[in-house]
Amino acid sequence: MGRTSKDKRDIFYRLAKEQGWRARSAFKLLQADETFQLLEGLTRAVDLCAAPGSWSQVLAKRLYEPLPPEEREKVKIIAVDLQGMAPIEGVKQLRADISKESTAEAIIEFFGGEKAQIVVSDGAPDSTGMHDFDSYVQGELLLSALSISTFILEEGGSFVSKIYRADRTSRLYTQLKRFFKNVCVFKPSASRNSSIEAFVVAREFCLPDGYKPCNLTTEWHDQPESWVGRKKESPPVVQVPFVAYKGELDSDRTYDLGENYVYKEPVQQPLTAAYQDILQKTSQVNIKYEGIRVIHDEEMLKKWLENDENKSEKLGACVT
Amino acid sequence: MVLISDAFGLEISPNGILVGHGDQAVLYSSEPKVELPVQLREGKVRGFAWSSLRKSQRLLLLYSENEYSLIRCTTSSENDLFQLVYEGETRDWINAALFLEDENESEDRKRFVLHTSHSALLYMEYDLTSNADCTVLELARCTDSSILYYTKLHGSSFNKLAIISGNAFGELLVWQTQFPTESDPKSVMKTYPLLLRIEAHNGVIHSIEFDLQSQLLVTTSDDRSVKFWNIQKSGDWTTAEIKPMFSCYGHSSRVMCVVILKIDDRTFVASGGEDSYVCIWSSSGELILKRRQQFGAPIWRLGFSQDAEILYSTSSTGNLVGQNLKEVLNRPKIESTILSSLGDANEFVRNLKFVNNEIIVGLSSLNRLYYTRISPDSSHENKWLMVNDFPSYKRTVLEVFDDIIATCGHRRITLHRYNTNTNDFEQLFDGIRMKGTIRSFQFLSRDRYLVSDNLGYCLLLQTHQLHIESHIALFNNREPWITAALLISEQYLLLGNREGHVMLYCRSSASDDFQLKDSIRYLHGKMGSNFFKLLSLNADNAHVMSGGHEAFLKYLSVRFSDSTLRVSQREGIPLAWVEASPSDDLILGFNDNHIVAWSRRNDILLQLACGGGHRCWDFRLSDGDSQLSIAYVKQKRVYFYRNSLYNAVDNRLKDIEPNNWHVRNCNTLRLITPRNQSDPFILSAGDDNIIKVTQVTNDSLSQRAEMHSHISTVRSLQAIPYKSNGGDSSTWLVFSVGGRSQLCISQLSIDASNKCWISEISSHTLHNVAASKTSTIEARLMAIDVVQHSDGDLFSIYVAGGDGNISHYIWELETPNQLDLKHFVDIQRCPLGIQWIASKGMLLVSTTNGEVYGFDRTLETTYFQLQLHVTGINTIDIYVDRHLLHILSGGDDESIKYTVLNLNNNNVEQKIEYLGLHNAQVNALAIHCPTKSVAASELFAYTCSIDRQIYRIDLSTHKYKRVGYTCIADVKGMLLDEHQRMYFYGCGLQTMSISNIL
């Protein structure tokens, strides 16, 4: 195994580096646009859960870069995420929580009082390894994205979001159908066949009569009759049409590198990782048999250990 | 029904242990286990809550996703009775629950709270005397509604309840049900303020535990830390202060769970991780114990039994494992005792061996032999005594067998015997037998020895007078001496030398010399085998285990008919190198600078620091193989360790039957039925790189064999019945493919008593013949099928590679290492499945772009190419009815297609799409023909998807209905056996009987 193995086994990983995308996920939005012409002529776009920014790159490439310099100021693209990311020309970054109404207000203000023409979201949760819970959390992310879209999306607008197809998919489709006349599920060829990942493409946004935008994940709080009840049989399956991308490249296939192959580094390494701290420490100390302790407040620790209740042994030397 | 699934719920109570095992809830106690009743619940059980005991009964609340169940438990003198009294559901994911003890509560009205993942708390009441629904007394919610990964509820009444949670941003959130900021007059909803928001971790918070009395709060996270906080609270929770003290790092992946242990007025913390390790920390953050406990499976929950001082863990395999902490915590660490020095300050022990459980002999730096008695009282200092009558010459070898002690030097050998009665050593022999410096002395038995020196001279000696029985001709190598020896029988001798070669010797009769017959070079690399262990012996062959300087045990097969030696199996174990296999369960070896004891039943039992790279050590197993003693030399001092290996845990609980299923995804599964048997065996393989053979009997699994040939994930396997040599055994050839372009061929035999033996025949790396000049493609091999030719030893092997190639190889059993590539075709897509239809001489290939191909046996003719799905065909099943081929396929496009193909003209006669069944990938389906008539008068199908729903389709009338669901959240396939039993596999295994779901 070498550094070229991933280039052989993942054609989109290789192409993303060659074409300058920050992540291979760029091709998923590119393929959706190619299939549905989502981005034609748009000037106001929102990218939710944007980091590391490959979808924002696509938006800038499609909306901002093709225009002559004097017309580029008409294009407004805003990328929203709590995580930071490197700047992209033509894209404004907003570090905010997408489940907050204040975030929606900030977006509309950025658009000068107007609303977005498209909202895209490639949000996925930090995996726990518990499949059912991971699917639930991803669904909640989708509902959060949909919730803020009901605040910021203009009538007739479009919504594109990652979706984990699992055992609670019906409730997500039900919510999407409330607000969009045209809902389908799209599988790009850049997504692996074995992946439960797909993307909902929802078009023709229309708020129901009398509907007031709110957070859909807590909307049930205002419906006391639905808080609890006896367990019922499973509800009927809700389906939306399935559309697949017709392309030549196969993300599951292993490709020859070819004689003209030149290795390239990834465009952008991940900015943050939850375990970044420990990686630095374990490069110096092996935790296979011994633990590492990092003291945050030595005085408080001593005071706490002086309490007889808390002693499990004498205070030994610490690794700091 | 068999269920292997995640165990997310764990509740320790004095009268038993509750485990949420998939969608089941099981109570383990000293009585036989009880499966709690269930009616409509489908989600996996995640937690439990007990109400207080009144009138010999109490309520148990269990929750699963957005469901909850109330079960009345009535305690009587004989046993507990469980009655399901209510099943409810909420609108959001329940992540915590608690029974309350409100003052207003009557005896028959139980109050509890359900907390959901967006900080909404439902305060509920249930009336035991009526059959009404639960009543909502209040919906309490917090001003913060971020997604919560963990919540802990604290307090015995609603007005004093505190909610402590961790979210995806690593924030610790605290609020309480006091002083609402907002009340809805139309309903009973109130909004409460967030009291504390603490930036606690760099990643998701996976668990929170705290103990107010000791002012300790602990959190664990994606960032691999176990963080200790000081928590102080003088009044209500508005006065709470939570401040970080220190963070501990010991896990190599996410830390999923934590418990605070109170033992003998001392405080400890135990954490469990995705790396399958349990770490026990002192209150000052010292790592006291780190032990892998679930064979590599992620640990989901920890629970502590205060009465028994047993720490329990559950994992993704559903296993419940206990660890007795009494012994662990009675001493600060696993440490060795330093034995006393020899009398002379300039003399030290440089090698040592156990003679029996109490006596250790040590060879000193001045070539004198000492012995010492280990006192059961560890505080009593040992004393070394010199062995009299010990000839004075330089020694190079010290070996012990029973009470015989052998020491060797240049050409000279001395034997002593320890007399237990007189507590003395008597000399049996002293003399010259060899030509060079002796490097190894191997006991083959009490009175048979194999001795080799640095000149390559090797003798088989017998009796205590060391008569020469045979000369052994060794290889002429630089380091030719023997490191392991085994006398298989009077005719066969197995040797391993220092350079790593294993050699089989044979003699015609006892009076002849042994002659070299066969050899295997570098069995464990370029270091010699450390030991051989005879596993089985009969008139035809013998099986031997060999361990050496690698993380694999190798199983050797000796065939007597032609005196051949080969590796039949290998077994991966978590040791860098292996030293001994003292019992069927226990393996001893080294990792880094630790002596490690690993158990097949209990995973890692001991890791003893001994200083690194150690050679002069010995061990003793006693007390029915449960007590381990270790002695070793380190820096001229002798260290001694003795302790029990196993915990006395299992005796307390009944019916805990650990499963040995895959700890990672199972990708492929086949069913085989031995001759004269009715119950099938499962052949399975997956992302743990292991092929397993498991017997299915009613509601239980029994693992029979494992094959560790693959170095990467196994994608597909096929079992071909093979002619047996006679008798009652059945034999299959198993062909498997997976990552790293690896194809393995094994032989599996099952005899009448269901004893399984699986051996590796060959392993191949299939390189792409069209590889470019710049690189070699090592594509994953996605699928395999095999055709046995009329010549029973000749096989056609069809392999589908991730590079798009479908290849046809010819393989012959007599030349197993040779694969002849006959033809290949590039379908320009990644193939997903491959299936040989024997009755039609056709190979079916399905792809990631939804196409299915039909090839002839040579792959040179394409009979048909059909577009069945718009994305990948994830599963396919066929039924042949004369000239009609029925194809049922499920895809990534969530659809199920039924296609009937006329093979006479390759035209599609019928094409049906079933919509409205699934809204996720369809990964599992099977065609079911209930009557075994020739005509397909009745044809049904069962389908399953990532949405976990199971449907039954009548392929004649095209009507379908939902018949159930599966616990396997990422189902990868299903099979149907002759007993009308369905097998769903993926991250677990579930069997269902068709009769039970219809």
Side-chain angles (χ1 to χ4, degrees), chain B residues 866-934:
Chain B
L866 303 173
Q867 185 83 47
L868 298 187
H869 293 264
V870 294
T871 52
I873 297 175
N874 288 10
T875 180
I876 192 166
D877 201 8
I878 63 163
Y879 181 79
V880 178
D881 175 20
R882 289 166 293 185
H883 65 285
L884 295 181
L885 176 64
H886 300 253
I887 303 174
L888 191 73
S889 56
D892 179 34
D893 58 4
E894 307 168 5
S895 74
I896 297 164
K897 296 286 183 63
Y898 176 49
T899 309
V900 181
L901 192 65
N902 188 326
L903 294 177
N904 289 340
N905 51 27
N906 290 327
N907 287 338
V908 174
E909 296 213 340
Q910 191 177 185
K911 198 167 187 178
I912 306 289
E913 178 172 11
Y914 296 99
L915 295 172
L917 277 72
H918 301 287
N919 57 10
Q921 295 167 321
V922 181
N923 284 355
L925 53 73
I927 294 179
H928 176 225
C929 185
T931 61
K932 295 194 175 181
S933 62
V934 176

Side-chain angles (χ1 to χ4, degrees), chain A residues 159-171:
Chain A
F159 175 77
V160 180
S161 174
K162 186 199 288 285
I163 184 169
Y164 282 179
R165 300 168 295 160
D167 67 342
R168 300 171 73 99
T169 312
S170 291
R171 69 182 181 117

Side-chain angles (χ1 to χ4, degrees), chain B residues 335-617:
Chain B
E335 283 182 352
S336 309
T337 304
I338 303 181
L339 299 187
S340 61
S341 303
L342 302 180
D344 192 329
N346 292 322
E347 191 177 15
F348 58 91
V349 174
R350 61 180 172 91
N351 202 344
L352 49 73
K353 294 288 178 183
F354 281 93
V355 177
N356 55 38
N357 294 342
E358 282 83 40
I359 300 293
I360 295 177
V361 291
L363 186 64
S364 79
S365 55
L366 299 183
N367 293 294
R368 295 196 277 224
L369 191 68
Y370 290 82
Y371 67 100
T372 186
R373 179 178 297 273
I374 304 299
S375 169
D377 182 6
S378 59
S379 62
H380 189 267
E381 192 174 86
N382 75 301
K383 187 177 180 182
W384 290 97
L385 301 175
M386 188 185 296
V387 174
N388 298 319
D389 193 15
F390 191 75
S392 175
Y393 64 96
K394 184 179 179 182
R395 297 314 206 274
T396 54
V397 170
L398 168 67
E399 294 291 344
V400 174
F401 186 96
D402 286 346
D403 53 358
I404 306 295
I405 300 100
T407 57
C408 312
H410 180 66
R411 306 181 65 202
R412 190 171 173 180
I413 302 170
T414 304
L415 294 184
H416 285 80
R417 183 169 70 93
Y418 174 72
N419 190 319
T420 308
N421 298 325
T422 62
N423 193 32
D424 202 0
F425 292 79
E426 57 178 319
Q427 189 182 112
L428 301 178
F429 177 86
D430 179 41
I432 292 176
R433 287 286 183 272
M434 308 299 288
K435 297 180 178 178
T437 303
I438 296 170
R439 291 296 186 193
S440 87
F441 184 102
Q442 302 279 334
F443 279 91
L444 303 182
S445 65
R446 273 183 55 92
D447 55 6
R448 267 169 136 173
Y449 324 108
L450 190 119
V451 188
S452 62
D453 62 22
N454 63 337
L455 301 181
Y457 190 56
C458 184
L459 293 178
L460 178 62
L461 307 173
Q462 60 168 294
T463 75
H464 295 160
Q465 299 310 308
L466 301 189
H467 297 307
I468 298 176
E469 180 177 342
S470 175
H471 290 82
I472 312 293
L474 300 181
F475 285 128
N476 186 19
N477 298 117
R478 283 186 293 106
E479 295 175 308
W481 57 86
I482 302 301
T483 60
L486 176 70
L487 191 64
I488 298 175
S489 67
E490 285 298 322
Q491 285 183 285
Y492 285 94
L493 178 68
L494 190 68
L495 301 179
N497 74 0
R498 172 62 178 80
E499 295 196 344
H501 311 317
V502 175
M503 302 159 290
L504 179 69
Y505 288 82
C506 175
R507 62 181 176 181
S508 304
S509 65
S511 59
D512 294 329
D513 281 344
F514 281 97
Q515 303 295 328
L516 177 64
K517 293 295 183 180
D518 202 358
S519 67
I520 297 173
R521 295 170 63 82
Y522 306 118
L523 177 67
H524 296 290
K526 296 191 174 180
M527 303 278 288
S529 296
N530 288 327
F531 71 94
F532 293 135
K533 182 176 182 180
L534 184 64
L535 297 177
S536 69
L537 174 65
N538 56 44
D540 299 317
N541 51 52
H543 297 286
V544 176
M545 176 200 288
S546 171
H549 288 260
E550 64 170 344
F552 281 91
L553 293 170
K554 296 282 175 63
Y555 293 84
L556 306 175
S557 177
V558 179
R559 189 164 63 188
F560 297 144
S561 59
D562 54 357
S563 300
T564 53
L565 173 70
R566 67 182 185 90
V567 180
S568 61
Q569 271 190 71
R570 73 191 76 187
E571 179 183 3
I573 51 182
L575 300 173
W577 79 82
V578 189
E579 289 276 343
S581 172
S583 70
D584 287 342
D585 180 61
L586 195 67
I587 304 289
L588 297 179
F590 280 83
N591 273 341
D592 306 314
N593 56 355
H594 284 68
I595 297 172
V596 180
W598 178 77
S599 158
R600 286 194 175 83
R601 288 200 313 266
N602 298 281
D603 214 337
I604 291 176
L605 296 172
L606 170 72
Q607 295 185 126
L608 180 65
C610 62
H614 223 74
R615 294 297 180 272
C616 297
W617 76 290

Side-chain angles (χ1 to χ4, degrees), chain A residues 127 136 140 165 167 193 195 226 230-231 239 247 250 252 254 274 292-294 296 304 310 312-313, chain B residues 67 87 91-92 118 131 133 214 223 245 247 249 254 283-284 286 802 829 848 874 892 918 921 948:
Chain A
S127 170
Y136 161 75
E140 296 297 287
R165 300 168 295 160
D167 67 342
N193 183 79
S195 175
S226 72
R230 286 192 181 263
K231 170 69 181 176
Q239 282 196 325
D250 186 345
D252 291 284
T254 299
I292 296 173
R293 186 179 65 171
V294 177
H296 306 302
W304 182 68
N310 303 330
S312 55
E313 63 179 37
Chain B
E67 307 157 324
E87 276 190 333
R91 294 284 301 274
D92 202 0
H118 287 277
N131 199 31
D133 288 357
S214 57
D223 63 12
M245 293 193 291
S247 295
Y249 297 88
R254 291 180 280 239
S283 55
S284 62
E286 187 173 358
R829 291 287 168 175
T848 51
N874 288 10
D892 179 34
H918 301 287
Q921 295 167 321
R948 297 173 53 208

